[in-house]
Amino acid sequence: IIGAVGVVPGCFDQKVVDALVRVNGLERPSMFAMSNPGDKAEITARDAYTWSNGRVIYASGTAFEPVEVDGRTFAPGQV
């Protein structure tokens, strides 16, 4: 799923993440929150990794700090 509008920060909420994980079955879903700056992002790295239990492949247009979920550290990509 790709967000690139910067109009509705946080629009990829937990319901969206849950649905994305569910429809992808055993595969890892991809989330790209391209809006800049970070306060305009559709979803933060922390929320994406936390709500998906680390399953998502996440990148954003803004740098986010690494996120730890259940003892695993995830480093979000910046594109």
Side-chain angles (χ1 to χ4, degrees), residues 7-18:
V7 177
V8 185
C11 61
F12 295 171
D13 60 13
Q14 189 166 1
K15 289 180 185 179
V16 171
V17 174
D18 290 346

Side-chain angles (χ1 to χ4, degrees), residues 20-57:
L20 192 62
V21 168
R22 186 175 56 253
V23 300
N24 278 276
L26 298 177
E27 300 296 321
R28 293 183 65 201
S30 299
M31 298 192 83
F32 301 106
M34 304 308 294
S35 296
N36 260 316
D39 64 348
K40 301 286 186 206
E42 293 79 10
I43 189 169
T44 65
R46 177 163 305 286
D47 287 346
Y49 291 124
T50 300
W51 294 339
S52 71
N53 289 324
R55 292 212 26 224
V56 299
I57 297 169

